[in-house]
Amino acid sequence: MYNLVLNENMKIYRRVRTWILIGLMAGFVILGNFVMWHEAKDASADDWQTQVTQEKENWNKQLQKTNLDEGLEKFYKERIAVIDYQLEHDIHPTQGTMWNGILESASLAMLITLLTIIIAGDIIASEFATGTIKLLLIRPASRLKILLSKYIAMLMFSFVLLLTLFIISFLLNGILFGFNHMGLPLIRLIDGQVVEQNMFLYLWKTYLLNGISTVMYITIAFMISSAFRSSAMAIAFSIGTLFAGNILLEVLRGYNWSKYLLFANTDLTQYLDNRPFQDGMTLSFSIGVLVVYFVVLNLISWLMFTRRDVAA
Amino acid sequence: MSNEPIISLRNVTKRIGRKTVIDNLTFDVPQGEIFGFLGPNGAGKTTTIRMIVGLISITDGQILIKGNNIKTDFEEAIRHVGAIVENPEMYKYLSGYRNLVHYARMVPGVTKARIDEVVALVKLEDRIHDKVRKYSLGMRQRLGVAQALLHRPSLLILDEPTNGLDPEGIRELRDYLRYLTRVEGITVIVSSHLLSEMELMCDRVAILQRGKLVDVQPIDYFTHGSDTSQTYQIEVQMPEQAMAVIGQMKGIEELKRSEDGFIEVTAERELVPDILEELIKNHIRVYGVQRVRTSLEDKFLEITGGGQVV
Ligand SMILES: Nc1ncnc2c1ncn2[C@@H]1O[C@H](COP(=O)(O)OP(=O)(O)OP(=O)(O)O)[C@@H](O)[C@H]1O
Ligand SMILES: [Mg+2]
């Protein structure tokens, strides 16, 4: 099994294409962070106390207004509570520190999903398309093991991308903003209580929750690959689901059953930030739905990959 | 050497949809034999090979490799097999060497020294570190043979291995197949369109047509004819008179003029000196006598009835 994964990795990383994709992602992250740094540099002339005090006054003014939206009112009050806490305990806000860029970059994890889909759609289907599947399957390794080794290689690939994202955004923002706020805690309001959270922990929680959606998309790509044995189909279909899925969700949000759709549950960061797709959805509900999809999709891949004739 | 067959097919049938592609195939191949698979396009050679290596399911019957059922004991059975199925497709973006490393990792016990050994055997040392993308067809075929031999299989299956090889390459392939069977005791199954190639390579040949096994015979059967009487070609000065003289003799099974003016006589071997004696007695000058070899190709066409594609 170890050797099989080694083989799959060799086939991924000894291709120029893979490095172009990784380079592309790195380029995106670097560009995005530079733009954010540039904007932040222009904005911050005063020290942070003055800035947050100004912000607080602004929110207070907004709160004076009548017919205020309930959601907005909640948001303003949360911000004010956080600012008060920061001023009181002399804790620098993330704005103007390396952490702002790093946290923003975490939203680029979507790119990781995208790139992983491209490789995952290809890793099975291309073996069929080029005929190499024949020489791969006539070895003393069951088809299940071959499939599994490809799966593991994809998980590793998405992890490599994640590390790339983390390292680049960490170093770049550190260099641009300075590393002096590395130990800064994250101040958040949870259930009406202001709490301090470890920034690294929060960041990696976001990453890993995003990783779960990546895993789901790898699974979809594998299923399409095994069923149709066509890279183009697998890549197009999975990326299509990634984008069309979110659009479709907006349309279907009104229907209660839409919470059982796969895409309504793939983004688990909705619970981290306390804004679920539909009221009443919980983290365990989403995990349950994901597990069911995961098992069914993998079962289909497995049946398609191990049972069918290889006529390539 | 044991007498147990290395591979044995029992009533093997393959149906795809409603079409019976392979119909009730039964044969054994003993250790150390080079076994040829002969048949026109679409006869089912590749399909049979795909079933032997477990790429496609077997509708009916069973295939045993060293006593292991390919269906139920896949890993144990396939361990003893090295194969090329149709074209030897490799990873084009990897070097030849990396491709071999890839396959070596899939079987326990294949060392780096062994990789170098097979590379030397197929004479690819100079180009082994080039990307396969840059290989010629013949070089890919050589690499294909190399990957099939890596794990020292007991059974080597080559689907049209001469495809793309130059005459020198074909001769080398023939030589090392001989070496592998005679010295290392490997069993080989080859399929080929080059029928004359089979004559030089195989010990035994199976003729396949429309998915059915037409005949399995030792190669001698095809090259020398089935019984004692054979056809001889005689070149004489006066063919008309010679025909008349021979026609009067006893024991002549067939007599005719060939297209290029020779006389063709079919008779027992012992009759040949008598025929010559008779001709000379009648003052007919004889320039030469030659046994007409029924080549495998003729026999093959004869058996399959013209060799049309099905
Ligand atoms: N996937 C398939 N679906 C339907 N029919 C098939 C399939 N694969 C092969 N066949 C049929 O099975 C028959 C045997 O094909 P096969 O490839 O085994 O022939 P072959 O003897 O290897 O021919 P060739 O000399 O051209 O390589 C052909 O008639 C072919 O049309
Ligand atoms: Mg064929």
Side-chain angles (χ1 to χ4, degrees):
Chain A
M1 197 65 215
Y2 172 75
N3 275 347
L4 293 182
V5 176
L6 224 54
N7 274 345
E8 294 308 325
N9 282 340
M10 176 169 78
K11 287 185 268 183
I12 293 174
Y13 300 106
R14 287 200 177 261
R15 278 191 94 158
V16 181
R17 186 188 68 181
T18 308
W19 293 101
I20 292 176
L21 289 180
I22 294 178
L24 221 62
M25 192 196 76
F28 255 109
V29 178
I30 292 171
L31 188 74
N33 279 306
F34 256 111
V35 170
M36 275 190 288
W37 169 70
H38 200 76
E39 284 174 358
K41 199 178 56 171
D42 294 345
S44 62
D46 307 317
D47 63 1
W48 67 268
Q49 281 91 347
T50 324
Q51 277 181 45
V52 291
T53 314
Q54 260 171 19
E55 193 191 334
K56 186 183 159 188
E57 275 166 23
N58 186 20
W59 297 143
N60 269 328
K61 231 178 279 165
Q62 296 285 338
L63 281 173
Q64 307 299 310
K65 283 186 187 164
T66 48
N67 66 32
L68 197 61
D69 181 84
E70 201 178 309
L72 275 177
E73 187 183 338
K74 192 170 160 233
F75 172 74
Y76 296 150
K77 284 187 169 157
E78 275 181 22
R79 281 298 303 155
I80 290 168
V82 168
I83 290 170
D84 282 342
Y85 188 90
Q86 282 168 333
L87 286 169
E88 189 180 329
H89 294 84
D90 195 27
I91 296 168
H92 201 293
T94 54
Q95 285 89 345
T97 73
M98 62 187 283
W99 285 108
N100 196 37
I102 296 172
L103 291 178
E104 289 291 331
S105 300
S107 61
L108 285 175
M110 168 98 151
L111 267 181
I112 294 179
T113 312
L114 199 69
L115 299 193
T116 309
I117 287 174
I118 293 176
I119 305 284
D122 199 54
I123 194 170
I124 296 174
S126 72
E127 301 258 13
F128 283 95
T130 59
T132 49
I133 190 76
K134 288 181 293 187
L135 292 184
L136 186 67
L137 292 185
I138 56 168
R139 313 281 152 182
S142 68
R143 291 194 191 184
L144 177 62
K145 276 191 194 157
I146 303 269
L147 188 66
L148 207 60
S149 66
K150 287 183 181 293
Y151 208 101
I152 294 171
M154 284 323 301
L155 293 183
M156 289 167 75
F157 178 69
S158 64
F159 196 73
V160 165
L161 291 181
L162 196 57
L163 273 183
T164 313
L165 175 69
F166 173 71
I167 292 171
I168 290 180
S169 67
F170 188 82
L171 288 183
L172 189 64
N173 282 295
I175 291 166
L176 293 177
F177 292 97
F179 288 99
N180 45 345
H181 290 289
M182 194 159 351
L184 196 71
L186 183 71
I187 312 301
R188 299 178 66 216
L189 199 75
I190 293 174
D191 301 329
Q193 281 295 114
V194 178
V195 290
E196 288 186 24
Q197 287 184 327
N198 183 306
M199 200 73 89
F200 279 101
L201 222 61
Y202 175 81
L203 184 66
W204 276 94
K205 239 195 230 163
T206 316
Y207 281 165
L208 290 184
L209 289 182
N210 220 299
I212 290 177
S213 98
T214 308
V215 170
M216 290 311 295
Y217 282 101
I218 294 176
T219 309
I220 295 176
F222 266 44
M223 203 249 330
I224 312 277
S225 275
S226 314
F228 298 102
R229 300 176 175 186
S230 143
S231 320
M233 192 105 140
I235 296 170
F237 195 92
S238 319
I239 293 182
T241 336
L242 186 63
F243 290 115
N246 288 324
I247 297 166
L248 204 66
L249 272 187
E250 285 312 310
V251 179
L252 298 176
R253 193 188 280 272
Y255 300 95
N256 188 43
W257 53 262
S258 65
K259 69 179 176 203
Y260 295 106
L261 289 174
L262 175 61
F263 350 103
N265 297 284
T266 43
D267 179 20
L268 292 179
T269 52
Q270 60 184 313
Y271 302 109
L272 203 59
D273 301 336
N274 245 325
R275 36 169 188 79
F277 169 66
Q278 273 184 9
D279 289 337
M281 279 169 72
T282 61
L283 183 62
S284 31
F285 169 81
S286 280
I287 289 176
V289 172
L290 289 181
V291 166
V292 171
Y293 273 103
F294 182 80
V295 169
V296 170
L297 290 175
N298 273 316
L299 205 66
I300 296 173
S301 305
W302 175 68
L303 286 174
M304 293 286 187
F305 190 74
T306 58
R307 299 294 161 89
R308 280 170 66 199
D309 282 0
V310 175
Chain B
M1 287 196 192
S2 73
N3 294 323
E4 186 82 351
I6 291 295
I7 174 165
S8 127
L9 277 76
R10 290 279 163 272
N11 308 103
V12 171
T13 298
K14 176 71 183 176
R15 275 189 290 275
I16 300 177
R18 289 201 165 169
K19 198 172 166 210
T20 303
V21 181
I22 297 296
D23 193 1
N24 211 15
L25 229 57
T26 298
F27 64 84
D28 288 346
V29 185
Q31 190 190 359
E33 185 173 79
I34 304 183
F35 186 80
F37 237 14
L38 205 53
N41 288 138
K45 304 180 293 289
T46 302
T47 305
T48 308
I49 290 174
R50 279 181 200 275
M51 280 193 284
I52 294 175
V53 298
L55 283 177
I56 62 177
S57 62
I58 303 164
T59 312
D60 257 322
Q62 63 174 1
I63 296 174
L64 300 178
I65 298 166
K66 282 196 140 185
N68 303 294
N69 191 318
I70 191 72
K71 194 168 170 180
T72 54
D73 300 320
F74 175 77
E75 288 178 45
E76 197 43 52
I78 206 73
R79 197 175 294 275
H80 305 291
V81 182
I84 300 179
V85 184
E86 265 174 350
N87 306 308
E89 289 107 345
M90 306 268 183
Y91 302 100
K92 291 204 174 96
Y93 49 88
L94 297 177
S95 67
Y97 190 80
R98 292 255 157 229
N99 268 284
L100 293 181
V101 168
H102 177 271
Y103 298 116
R105 282 191 190 134
M106 299 184 77
V107 188
V110 181
T111 59
K112 211 181 151 299
R114 175 61 185 168
I115 297 179
D116 296 337
E117 202 177 310
V118 290
V119 169
L121 185 70
V122 299
K123 296 201 163 60
L124 267 181
E125 297 107 315
D126 292 343
R127 301 294 301 275
I128 197 66
H129 291 289
D130 285 5
K131 293 251 191 305
V132 171
R133 192 191 305 286
K134 295 181 188 159
Y135 281 17
S136 69
L137 179 58
M139 287 158 70
R140 284 178 202 184
Q141 197 68 255
R142 284 162 191 257
L143 189 62
V145 174
Q147 65 76 30
L149 289 174
L150 265 183
H151 52 292
R152 299 181 192 277
S154 311
L155 175 63
L156 182 64
I157 302 175
L158 304 174
D159 195 4
E160 298 181 35
T162 53
N163 189 10
L165 290 183
D166 53 19
E168 177 65 12
I170 293 176
R171 201 183 55 75
E172 281 168 18
L173 175 73
R174 209 160 59 216
D175 288 349
Y176 57 65
L177 287 189
R178 286 267 157 226
Y179 167 80
L180 289 169
T181 49
R182 300 302 176 259
V183 179
E184 300 198 2
I186 288 183
T187 306
V188 181
I189 295 180
V190 279
S191 82
S192 173
H193 282 127
L194 292 169
L195 308 173
S196 48
E197 262 311 312
M198 288 235 144
E199 277 181 291
L200 296 169
M201 220 185 305
C202 300
D203 300 315
R204 221 154 47 105
V205 173
I207 293 175
L208 208 62
Q209 197 192 20
R210 295 170 211 256
K212 287 200 178 77
L213 200 60
V214 179
D215 209 356
V216 186
Q217 292 291 346
I219 200 73
D220 294 355
Y221 171 84
F222 295 97
T223 47
H224 299 309
S226 52
D227 41 39
T228 48
S229 81
Q230 281 170 37
T231 302
Y232 298 89
Q233 207 173 50
I234 306 172
E235 189 183 358
V236 294
Q237 194 183 24
M238 298 174 289
E240 297 294 326
Q241 279 143 293
M243 294 274 284
V245 170
I246 299 169
Q248 280 163 3
M249 291 179 67
K250 273 191 202 128
I252 303 294
E253 289 165 27
E254 209 186 316
L255 180 65
K256 65 172 191 220
R257 283 278 292 277
S258 71
E259 281 156 27
D260 34 13
F262 299 119
I263 297 172
E264 279 185 13
V265 185
T266 307
E268 272 180 32
R269 183 181 149 86
E270 281 307 307
L271 219 61
V272 176
D274 296 344
I275 293 172
L276 293 182
E277 198 182 333
E278 201 66 22
L279 288 174
I280 289 161
K281 239 197 273 173
N282 285 282
H283 307 288
I284 298 169
R285 294 168 77 91
V286 179
Y287 298 113
V289 183
Q290 196 185 7
R291 191 172 68 201
V292 179
R293 213 168 57 133
T294 315
S295 80
L296 185 50
E297 191 139 6
D298 295 336
K299 204 77 181 181
F300 170 61
L301 292 178
E302 206 175 285
I303 291 175
T304 58
Q308 74 276 29
V309 176
V310 282

